[in-house]
Amino acid sequence: MVDLSDAPVIDTHLHGWRTSELLDAPAAGFADRVTMLGMCVLTSGGDPAEFSDVLARATATTPLALALLARLGEQLGCEPTNEAVGAARLERLRADATGYLQELWRDARIEGLVVDEGFPLPIIPSADLEREAGIPVHRVVRIEPWIAEQRDAAEGYDELEDALSAHLEAAAAEGAVAFKSVIAYRTGLDITHPSPADARGAFTRWRQDSFRETRGHAKPVRDRLLERTLEVASASGVPVHIHSGGGDPDSLVPHARPAGLFDLLKRHPHQPVLLIHAGWPWTDEAAFMASILPHVYLDLSIGIPWGSLAIDRLIETALGLAPPSKVLYGSDEASEPEVAWFAAHVAREALERVLSTGVERRWLTPAQATVIGNDVLAGNCRRLHGIAA
Ligand SMILES: [Zn+2]
């Protein structure tokens, strides 16, 4: 009933890649690498070989892997097996990586990528990625790699904070569309409100502790720097992306619930903050906060595409609880660029199903539902980040 087949897509959250690394990765591991489990083993520094039995068994029945192989096999004109798809895509990447990817972007109507440059490291310059991907790339600057680089040289907390402010101001002036924090991977998302004196004392102790990532010494420093990031973003006119919810095994899952951000968000009611991953798997919590705080937004990545059979539920929750004008599509592709293509397709189809149900149940007219679908796939992201159509 609701047809979004022509709706353009901007991917609000994903990560860059190097074509040379795509070519070097073993073809046999392709299907494992696109599953949540396989990808998380890699991104948290594990060795897939150590878990080969369990990965093989899991991948063989994981809907995401099966659907991706089926769809990519169809796109490439080969059998939907790991071997055939792994070989066919490698052949295309070797022959003309940019041309291959541009075919995928056109097929899924993807018009732009909002790329978190904090993973992988070292940073892939956005101009390089844009050239390799053959599509506009919009840069998101992550604060944690910068803090790790600069903390040794800083005299004390104040110098670190001033330098971070200058770094972020310069990045915004150079065209970065957002700042990003993954504090849930460092000291937790339950953000406190330390005074400048607390932060100064904690920085001294943190340094004496060789910058170990403890909640005692590191946390007051990181919490205060995140607060400062929101202030600089406000002055620079850019949104802040904050990882919310669980991530790979390096995230502090016991301290990753989105409600931990509530006080911080309440202190900055006019600063747009995009909750990356919509607090997945605690989406209800994040969607509820977006329903009561004017400038809190939701990014649907991780749940899309890895939630597979649960994607419709995710979209129902986000669009039902939060204003649809604050819900943004993202893929969180972080291993193979085909995931961004696949995610755009499954998001479009899930949005069509959920919005069609909304029409059937007389919440929306078909025209209203179509506007919402287009906004979630691209319009809301363009508006929030100032990305022209
Ligand atoms: Zn990500």
Side-chain angles (χ1 to χ4, degrees):
M1 195 188 296
V2 176
D3 179 8
L4 298 173
S5 51
D6 289 332
V9 171
I10 303 280
D11 195 327
T12 299
H13 175 73
L14 78 165
H15 300 272
W17 60 86
R18 292 179 176 85
T19 304
S20 59
E21 288 171 11
L22 300 180
L23 295 175
D24 285 347
F30 177 69
D32 287 344
R33 287 196 298 277
V34 298
T35 65
M36 183 80 179
L37 187 60
M39 184 175 62
C40 285
V41 168
L42 282 173
T43 57
S44 60
D47 177 2
E50 279 179 36
F51 305 101
S52 56
D53 285 2
V54 72
L55 283 178
R57 256 196 318 278
T59 300
T61 53
T62 294
L64 180 128
L66 300 176
L68 196 149
L69 290 176
R71 288 170 185 239
L72 193 54
E74 202 177 310
Q75 177 78 11
L76 294 166
C78 68
E79 290 296 306
T81 60
N82 183 37
E83 293 69 27
V85 171
R89 47 100 56 176
L90 261 187
E91 198 180 309
R92 294 296 311 273
L93 283 167
R94 271 196 202 106
D96 173 14
T98 304
Y100 166 57
L101 294 174
Q102 283 179 319
E103 255 174 50
L104 296 181
W105 310 144
R106 273 195 300 276
D107 179 65
R109 315 260 191 290
I110 298 174
E111 295 186 350
L113 309 177
V114 180
V115 175
D116 172 359
E117 65 179 19
F119 179 88
L121 290 174
I123 287 172
I124 302 172
S126 52
D128 293 2
L129 183 63
E130 187 166 271
R131 206 176 319 111
E132 291 206 16
I135 191 171
V137 166
H138 308 281
R139 176 181 173 221
V140 176
V141 178
R142 200 190 274 195
I143 63 170
E144 284 79 12
W146 184 92
I147 295 169
E149 260 175 38
Q150 302 296 325
R151 61 193 176 192
D152 274 321
E155 287 272 326
Y157 176 78
D158 293 288
E159 195 181 303
L160 187 67
E161 186 187 286
D162 290 347
L164 176 64
S165 305
H167 170 69
L168 292 175
E169 282 161 11
E174 286 162 11
V177 297
F179 305 150
K180 166 91 191 278
S181 171
V182 291
I183 200 165
Y185 274 83
R186 299 293 181 274
T187 46
L189 211 57
D190 46 341
I191 307 301
T192 56
H193 193 196
S195 68
D198 293 339
R200 285 181 200 121
F203 183 79
T204 304
R205 297 195 308 276
W206 193 25
R207 178 170 8 232
Q208 284 161 358
D209 197 30
S210 308
F211 293 115
R212 272 195 317 125
E213 209 62 77
T214 60
R215 285 173 53 92
H217 308 328
K219 185 168 171 48
V221 175
R222 291 200 182 277
D223 287 359
R224 181 90 197 162
L225 289 175
L226 180 58
E227 188 109 29
R228 182 71 194 132
T229 300
L230 264 68
E231 290 164 6
V232 176
S234 189
S236 303
V238 297
V240 175
H241 292 192
I242 302 181
H243 168 104
S244 63
D248 74 23
D250 289 339
S251 64
L252 272 61
V253 174
H255 300 286
R257 295 188 73 121
L261 282 171
F262 187 71
D263 289 348
L264 174 77
L265 299 174
K266 231 176 112 179
R267 286 197 292 277
H268 299 270
H270 301 288
Q271 170 55 38
V273 173
L274 177 62
L275 300 181
I276 298 294
H277 316 316
W280 181 265
W282 302 286
T283 309
D284 297 33
E285 220 171 87
F288 174 72
M289 294 201 300
S291 77
I292 60 170
L293 296 173
H295 275 295
V296 174
Y297 297 75
L298 302 175
D299 151 67
L300 299 176
S301 71
I302 289 200
I304 298 173
W306 287 281
S308 67
L309 306 183
I311 289 174
D312 291 32
R313 174 163 61 82
L314 163 69
I315 293 176
E316 283 169 9
T317 301
L319 295 184
L321 268 62
S325 61
K326 300 203 293 170
V327 177
L328 287 69
Y329 162 75
S331 72
D332 198 27
E333 175 284 316
S335 58
E336 310 286 352
E338 286 93 340
V339 170
W341 162 82
F342 173 79
H345 276 300
V346 297
R348 188 192 310 276
E349 292 164 20
L351 270 167
E352 285 176 344
R353 285 191 299 273
V354 171
L355 289 167
S356 293
T357 303
V359 171
E360 276 163 29
R361 295 178 182 172
R362 299 178 62 200
W363 290 108
L364 301 164
T365 66
Q368 290 163 344
T370 304
V371 168
I372 291 172
N374 276 273
D375 281 352
V376 171
L377 289 171
N380 294 337
C381 178
R382 288 191 190 281
R383 201 165 39 248
L384 184 63
H385 298 91
I387 297 171

